[in-house]
Amino acid sequence: MLLQLMNGLGIFYYWTWFIWPFFLVFGLYSALSSLILEKKESGGMVLLAAVSLLVILAGITSPNFM
């Protein structure tokens, strides 16, 4: 079940590979800047960075699932 999900994310990554690095950098930058400057946690931006990293890693490792 989980391997099928990762394989599906890998296929999705192949079609949208050009936007995920930007989402990762934007999410990390926004989360760190709000933590440092405003002293508050932004869970949404951390979640965006985590999901984009998951999609990137699924796309890189999905050929190994077969």
Side-chain angles (χ1 to χ4, degrees):
M1 169 90 182
L2 185 59
L3 289 178
Q4 291 174 351
L5 175 69
M6 294 294 283
N7 198 9
L9 283 175
I11 293 169
F12 180 66
Y13 173 76
Y14 289 142
W15 287 99
T16 60
W17 62 269
F18 48 88
I19 61 171
W20 295 108
F22 295 112
F23 282 160
L24 177 66
V25 171
F26 175 73
L28 284 175
Y29 176 76
S30 296
L32 287 175
S33 66
S34 70
L35 184 65
I36 291 171
L37 295 176
E38 299 171 8
K39 303 286 191 227
K40 67 176 184 177
E41 298 179 13
S42 62
M45 289 297 133
V46 173
L47 185 64
L48 175 70
V51 167
S52 63
L53 183 62
L54 173 71
V55 171
I56 290 171
L57 291 178
I60 290 171
T61 61
S62 69
N64 297 330
F65 293 150
M66 297 186 185

